[in-house]
PDB file of all heavy atoms in Angstrom:
ATOM      1  N   ALA A1464      88.080  92.183  99.227  1.00  0.00           N
ATOM      2  CA  ALA A1464      87.282  93.355  99.588  1.00  0.00           C
ATOM      3  C   ALA A1464      88.204  94.514  99.978  1.00  0.00           C
ATOM      4  O   ALA A1464      89.316  94.298 100.445  1.00  0.00           O
ATOM      5  CB  ALA A1464      86.346  93.016 100.753  1.00  0.00           C
ATOM      6  N   ALA A1465      87.703  95.712  99.798  1.00  0.00           N
ATOM      7  CA  ALA A1465      88.476  96.897 100.127  1.00  0.00           C
ATOM      8  C   ALA A1465      87.599  97.971 100.745  1.00  0.00           C
ATOM      9  O   ALA A1465      86.427  98.124 100.370  1.00  0.00           O
ATOM     10  CB  ALA A1465      89.165  97.435  98.881  1.00  0.00           C
ATOM     11  N   ARG A1466      88.177  98.706 101.688  1.00  0.00           N
ATOM     12  CA  ARG A1466      87.492  99.817 102.318  1.00  0.00           C
ATOM     13  C   ARG A1466      88.200 101.094 101.953  1.00  0.00           C
ATOM     14  O   ARG A1466      89.423 101.193 102.073  1.00  0.00           O
ATOM     15  CB  ARG A1466      87.434  99.620 103.839  1.00  0.00           C
ATOM     16  CG  ARG A1466      86.756 100.767 104.584  1.00  0.00           C
ATOM     17  CD  ARG A1466      86.676 100.478 106.068  1.00  0.00           C
ATOM     18  NE  ARG A1466      86.201 101.623 106.828  1.00  0.00           N
ATOM     19  CZ  ARG A1466      84.925 101.913 107.047  1.00  0.00           C
ATOM     20  NH1 ARG A1466      83.956 101.124 106.543  1.00  0.00           N
ATOM     21  NH2 ARG A1466      84.591 102.980 107.747  1.00  0.00           N
ATOM     22  N   SER A1467      87.451 102.089 101.536  1.00  0.00           N
ATOM     23  CA  SER A1467      88.036 103.349 101.063  1.00  0.00           C
ATOM     24  C   SER A1467      87.941 104.461 102.109  1.00  0.00           C
ATOM     25  O   SER A1467      88.470 105.558 101.892  1.00  0.00           O
ATOM     26  CB  SER A1467      87.342 103.820  99.797  1.00  0.00           C
ATOM     27  OG  SER A1467      85.986 104.053  99.988  1.00  0.00           O
ATOM     28  N   ARG A1468      87.317 104.181 103.254  1.00  0.00           N
ATOM     29  CA  ARG A1468      87.164 105.200 104.284  1.00  0.00           C
ATOM     30  C   ARG A1468      88.253 105.046 105.335  1.00  0.00           C
ATOM     31  O   ARG A1468      89.440 105.175 105.017  1.00  0.00           O
ATOM     32  CB  ARG A1468      85.759 105.152 104.874  1.00  0.00           C
ATOM     33  CG  ARG A1468      84.689 105.657 103.870  1.00  0.00           C
ATOM     34  CD  ARG A1468      83.288 105.335 104.328  1.00  0.00           C
ATOM     35  NE  ARG A1468      82.956 103.931 104.113  1.00  0.00           N
ATOM     36  CZ  ARG A1468      81.839 103.349 104.530  1.00  0.00           C
ATOM     37  NH1 ARG A1468      80.944 104.045 105.226  1.00  0.00           N
ATOM     38  NH2 ARG A1468      81.626 102.065 104.254  1.00  0.00           N
ATOM     39  N   SER A1469      87.925 104.787 106.583  1.00  0.00           N
ATOM     40  CA  SER A1469      88.938 104.614 107.613  1.00  0.00           C
ATOM     41  C   SER A1469      89.797 103.388 107.301  1.00  0.00           C
ATOM     42  O   SER A1469      89.341 102.437 106.701  1.00  0.00           O
ATOM     43  CB  SER A1469      88.310 104.477 108.998  1.00  0.00           C
ATOM     44  OG  SER A1469      87.443 103.364 109.046  1.00  0.00           O
ATOM     45  N   GLY A1470      91.080 103.470 107.745  1.00  0.00           N
ATOM     46  CA  GLY A1470      92.020 102.443 107.346  1.00  0.00           C
ATOM     47  C   GLY A1470      92.096 101.209 108.211  1.00  0.00           C
ATOM     48  O   GLY A1470      92.598 100.165 107.755  1.00  0.00           O
ATOM     49  N   TRP A1471      91.606 101.259 109.407  1.00  0.00           N
ATOM     50  CA  TRP A1471      91.694 100.140 110.324  1.00  0.00           C
ATOM     51  C   TRP A1471      90.703 100.309 111.450  1.00  0.00           C
ATOM     52  O   TRP A1471      90.139 101.410 111.648  1.00  0.00           O
ATOM     53  CB  TRP A1471      93.114 100.025 110.876  1.00  0.00           C
ATOM     54  CG  TRP A1471      93.443  98.684 111.468  1.00  0.00           C
ATOM     55  CD1 TRP A1471      93.699  98.415 112.787  1.00  0.00           C
ATOM     56  CD2 TRP A1471      93.546  97.437 110.784  1.00  0.00           C
ATOM     57  NE1 TRP A1471      93.970  97.077 112.952  1.00  0.00           N
ATOM     58  CE2 TRP A1471      93.897  96.454 111.730  1.00  0.00           C
ATOM     59  CE3 TRP A1471      93.409  97.071 109.440  1.00  0.00           C
ATOM     60  CZ2 TRP A1471      94.100  95.118 111.393  1.00  0.00           C
ATOM     61  CZ3 TRP A1471      93.592  95.732 109.107  1.00  0.00           C
ATOM     62  CH2 TRP A1471      93.931  94.776 110.082  1.00  0.00           C
ATOM     63  N   GLY A1472      90.494  99.265 112.230  1.00  0.00           N
ATOM     64  CA  GLY A1472      89.567  99.326 113.337  1.00  0.00           C
ATOM     65  C   GLY A1472      89.650  98.098 114.205  1.00  0.00           C
ATOM     66  O   GLY A1472      90.510  97.229 113.990  1.00  0.00           O
ATOM     67  N   PRO A1473      88.794  97.977 115.217  1.00  0.00           N
ATOM     68  CA  PRO A1473      88.786  96.782 116.066  1.00  0.00           C
ATOM     69  C   PRO A1473      88.450  95.526 115.276  1.00  0.00           C
ATOM     70  O   PRO A1473      87.825  95.588 114.225  1.00  0.00           O
ATOM     71  CB  PRO A1473      87.676  97.103 117.098  1.00  0.00           C
ATOM     72  CG  PRO A1473      87.528  98.588 117.055  1.00  0.00           C
ATOM     73  CD  PRO A1473      87.813  98.972 115.634  1.00  0.00           C
ATOM     74  N   GLN A1474      88.858  94.381 115.800  1.00  0.00           N
ATOM     75  CA  GLN A1474      88.611  93.113 115.100  1.00  0.00           C
ATOM     76  C   GLN A1474      87.149  92.872 114.831  1.00  0.00           C
ATOM     77  O   GLN A1474      86.784  92.331 113.781  1.00  0.00           O
ATOM     78  CB  GLN A1474      89.196  91.960 115.930  1.00  0.00           C
ATOM     79  CG  GLN A1474      90.705  92.002 116.043  1.00  0.00           C
ATOM     80  CD  GLN A1474      91.242  90.896 116.927  1.00  0.00           C
ATOM     81  OE1 GLN A1474      90.502  90.075 117.465  1.00  0.00           O
ATOM     82  NE2 GLN A1474      92.562  90.832 117.058  1.00  0.00           N
ATOM     83  N   LEU A1475      86.297  93.278 115.763  1.00  0.00           N
ATOM     84  CA  LEU A1475      84.875  93.096 115.570  1.00  0.00           C
ATOM     85  C   LEU A1475      84.363  93.839 114.356  1.00  0.00           C
ATOM     86  O   LEU A1475      83.423  93.402 113.706  1.00  0.00           O
ATOM     87  CB  LEU A1475      84.129  93.581 116.824  1.00  0.00           C
ATOM     88  CG  LEU A1475      82.621  93.425 116.845  1.00  0.00           C
ATOM     89  CD1 LEU A1475      82.241  91.955 116.813  1.00  0.00           C
ATOM     90  CD2 LEU A1475      82.015  94.108 118.079  1.00  0.00           C
ATOM     91  N   VAL A1476      85.023  94.926 113.987  1.00  0.00           N
ATOM     92  CA  VAL A1476      84.613  95.720 112.866  1.00  0.00           C
ATOM     93  C   VAL A1476      85.189  95.197 111.556  1.00  0.00           C
ATOM     94  O   VAL A1476      84.471  95.030 110.572  1.00  0.00           O
ATOM     95  CB  VAL A1476      85.047  97.198 113.059  1.00  0.00           C
ATOM     96  CG1 VAL A1476      84.803  98.005 111.800  1.00  0.00           C
ATOM     97  CG2 VAL A1476      84.297  97.806 114.241  1.00  0.00           C
ATOM     98  N   ILE A1477      86.467  94.903 111.511  1.00  0.00           N
ATOM     99  CA  ILE A1477      87.117  94.539 110.265  1.00  0.00           C
ATOM    100  C   ILE A1477      86.727  93.145 109.782  1.00  0.00           C
ATOM    101  O   ILE A1477      87.008  92.805 108.621  1.00  0.00           O
ATOM    102  CB  ILE A1477      88.648  94.665 110.330  1.00  0.00           C
ATOM    103  CG1 ILE A1477      89.229  93.709 111.385  1.00  0.00           C
ATOM    104  CG2 ILE A1477      89.050  96.096 110.653  1.00  0.00           C
ATOM    105  CD1 ILE A1477      90.751  93.717 111.429  1.00  0.00           C
ATOM    106  N   ARG A1478      86.111  92.321 110.596  1.00  0.00           N
ATOM    107  CA  ARG A1478      85.655  91.008 110.155  1.00  0.00           C
ATOM    108  C   ARG A1478      84.234  91.064 109.623  1.00  0.00           C
ATOM    109  O   ARG A1478      83.685  90.033 109.204  1.00  0.00           O
ATOM    110  CB  ARG A1478      85.777  89.982 111.272  1.00  0.00           C
ATOM    111  CG  ARG A1478      84.867  90.219 112.453  1.00  0.00           C
ATOM    112  CD  ARG A1478      85.188  89.221 113.566  1.00  0.00           C
ATOM    113  NE  ARG A1478      84.997  87.844 113.154  1.00  0.00           N
ATOM    114  CZ  ARG A1478      85.451  86.779 113.808  1.00  0.00           C
ATOM    115  NH1 ARG A1478      86.154  86.952 114.921  1.00  0.00           N
ATOM    116  NH2 ARG A1478      85.197  85.563 113.360  1.00  0.00           N
ATOM    117  N   ASP A1479      83.614  92.231 109.662  1.00  0.00           N
ATOM    118  CA  ASP A1479      82.263  92.426 109.183  1.00  0.00           C
ATOM    119  C   ASP A1479      82.298  92.850 107.725  1.00  0.00           C
ATOM    120  O   ASP A1479      82.813  93.900 107.378  1.00  0.00           O
ATOM    121  CB  ASP A1479      81.558  93.487 110.035  1.00  0.00           C
ATOM    122  CG  ASP A1479      80.115  93.687 109.638  1.00  0.00           C
ATOM    123  OD1 ASP A1479      79.639  93.059 108.697  1.00  0.00           O
ATOM    124  OD2 ASP A1479      79.461  94.528 110.308  1.00  0.00           O
ATOM    125  N   GLY A1480      81.742  92.037 106.824  1.00  0.00           N
ATOM    126  CA  GLY A1480      81.731  92.352 105.420  1.00  0.00           C
ATOM    127  C   GLY A1480      81.081  93.659 105.070  1.00  0.00           C
ATOM    128  O   GLY A1480      81.429  94.317 104.085  1.00  0.00           O
ATOM    129  N   ASN A1481      80.116  94.080 105.884  1.00  0.00           N
ATOM    130  CA  ASN A1481      79.409  95.330 105.626  1.00  0.00           C
ATOM    131  C   ASN A1481      80.292  96.553 105.836  1.00  0.00           C
ATOM    132  O   ASN A1481      79.928  97.647 105.409  1.00  0.00           O
ATOM    133  CB  ASN A1481      78.172  95.434 106.505  1.00  0.00           C
ATOM    134  CG  ASN A1481      77.131  94.407 106.180  1.00  0.00           C
ATOM    135  OD1 ASN A1481      76.908  94.071 105.008  1.00  0.00           O
ATOM    136  ND2 ASN A1481      76.471  93.879 107.192  1.00  0.00           N
ATOM    137  N   TRP A1482      81.434  96.357 106.438  1.00  0.00           N
ATOM    138  CA  TRP A1482      82.364  97.442 106.677  1.00  0.00           C
ATOM    139  C   TRP A1482      83.129  97.828 105.408  1.00  0.00           C
ATOM    140  O   TRP A1482      83.685  98.916 105.335  1.00  0.00           O
ATOM    141  CB  TRP A1482      83.332  97.034 107.795  1.00  0.00           C
ATOM    142  CG  TRP A1482      84.201  98.100 108.345  1.00  0.00           C
ATOM    143  CD1 TRP A1482      83.823  99.232 109.020  1.00  0.00           C
ATOM    144  CD2 TRP A1482      85.625  98.150 108.293  1.00  0.00           C
ATOM    145  NE1 TRP A1482      84.922  99.964 109.402  1.00  0.00           N
ATOM    146  CE2 TRP A1482      86.047  99.328 108.956  1.00  0.00           C
ATOM    147  CE3 TRP A1482      86.604  97.323 107.745  1.00  0.00           C
ATOM    148  CZ2 TRP A1482      87.386  99.688 109.091  1.00  0.00           C
ATOM    149  CZ3 TRP A1482      87.950  97.675 107.872  1.00  0.00           C
ATOM    150  CH2 TRP A1482      88.313  98.844 108.537  1.00  0.00           C
ATOM    151  N   TYR A1483      83.168  96.954 104.449  1.00  0.00           N
ATOM    152  CA  TYR A1483      83.938  97.167 103.221  1.00  0.00           C
ATOM    153  C   TYR A1483      83.097  97.824 102.135  1.00  0.00           C
ATOM    154  O   TYR A1483      81.883  97.636 102.088  1.00  0.00           O
ATOM    155  CB  TYR A1483      84.553  95.856 102.741  1.00  0.00           C
ATOM    156  CG  TYR A1483      85.549  95.303 103.711  1.00  0.00           C
ATOM    157  CD1 TYR A1483      85.145  94.552 104.828  1.00  0.00           C
ATOM    158  CD2 TYR A1483      86.895  95.528 103.538  1.00  0.00           C
ATOM    159  CE1 TYR A1483      86.074  94.074 105.748  1.00  0.00           C
ATOM    160  CE2 TYR A1483      87.831  95.041 104.448  1.00  0.00           C
ATOM    161  CZ  TYR A1483      87.420  94.322 105.552  1.00  0.00           C
ATOM    162  OH  TYR A1483      88.347  93.847 106.452  1.00  0.00           O
ATOM    163  N   ASP A1484      83.768  98.551 101.258  1.00  0.00           N
ATOM    164  CA  ASP A1484      83.078  99.316 100.242  1.00  0.00           C
ATOM    165  C   ASP A1484      83.065  98.678  98.853  1.00  0.00           C
ATOM    166  O   ASP A1484      82.141  98.912  98.067  1.00  0.00           O
ATOM    167  CB  ASP A1484      83.733 100.713 100.121  1.00  0.00           C
ATOM    168  CG  ASP A1484      83.686 101.478 101.427  1.00  0.00           C
ATOM    169  OD1 ASP A1484      82.576 101.674 101.952  1.00  0.00           O
ATOM    170  OD2 ASP A1484      84.785 101.886 101.905  1.00  0.00           O
ATOM    171  N   TYR A1485      84.072  97.870  98.544  1.00  0.00           N
ATOM    172  CA  TYR A1485      84.193  97.272  97.213  1.00  0.00           C
ATOM    173  C   TYR A1485      84.512  95.800  97.316  1.00  0.00           C
ATOM    174  O   TYR A1485      85.191  95.349  98.241  1.00  0.00           O
ATOM    175  CB  TYR A1485      85.286  97.993  96.406  1.00  0.00           C
ATOM    176  CG  TYR A1485      85.105  99.493  96.360  1.00  0.00           C
ATOM    177  CD1 TYR A1485      85.862 100.331  97.152  1.00  0.00           C
ATOM    178  CD2 TYR A1485      84.153 100.053  95.498  1.00  0.00           C
ATOM    179  CE1 TYR A1485      85.697 101.690  97.121  1.00  0.00           C
ATOM    180  CE2 TYR A1485      83.977 101.439  95.462  1.00  0.00           C
ATOM    181  CZ  TYR A1485      84.746 102.241  96.264  1.00  0.00           C
ATOM    182  OH  TYR A1485      84.577 103.616  96.210  1.00  0.00           O
ATOM    183  N   TRP A1486      84.048  95.052  96.294  1.00  0.00           N
ATOM    184  CA  TRP A1486      84.228  93.599  96.250  1.00  0.00           C
ATOM    185  C   TRP A1486      84.627  93.132  94.858  1.00  0.00           C
ATOM    186  O   TRP A1486      84.189  93.684  93.860  1.00  0.00           O
ATOM    187  CB  TRP A1486      82.933  92.889  96.658  1.00  0.00           C
ATOM    188  CG  TRP A1486      82.570  93.102  98.089  1.00  0.00           C
ATOM    189  CD1 TRP A1486      81.867  94.147  98.613  1.00  0.00           C
ATOM    190  CD2 TRP A1486      82.870  92.239  99.194  1.00  0.00           C
ATOM    191  NE1 TRP A1486      81.731  93.998  99.961  1.00  0.00           N
ATOM    192  CE2 TRP A1486      82.324  92.838 100.350  1.00  0.00           C
ATOM    193  CE3 TRP A1486      83.543  91.020  99.295  1.00  0.00           C
ATOM    194  CZ2 TRP A1486      82.448  92.269 101.614  1.00  0.00           C
ATOM    195  CZ3 TRP A1486      83.663  90.432 100.558  1.00  0.00           C
ATOM    196  CH2 TRP A1486      83.119  91.058 101.686  1.00  0.00           C
ATOM    197  N   GLY A1487      85.447  92.091  94.834  1.00  0.00           N
ATOM    198  CA  GLY A1487      85.799  91.455  93.570  1.00  0.00           C
ATOM    199  C   GLY A1487      84.773  90.402  93.212  1.00  0.00           C
ATOM    200  O   GLY A1487      83.814  90.155  93.944  1.00  0.00           O
TER     201      GLY A1487
END
């Protein structure tokens, strides 16, 4: 998965799949 907006965040955020924009 990849996120095209902000580059990083708290652990609670980056472990949430809904935070990502693209998927393989």
Side-chain angles (χ1 to χ4, degrees):
R1466 179 176 172 87
S1467 62
R1468 289 167 283 173
S1469 60
W1471 198 247
Q1474 294 177 359
L1475 182 64
V1476 173
I1477 62 175
R1478 66 187 299 166
D1479 182 359
N1481 294 323
W1482 191 64
Y1483 296 82
D1484 300 304
Y1485 307 102
W1486 293 85

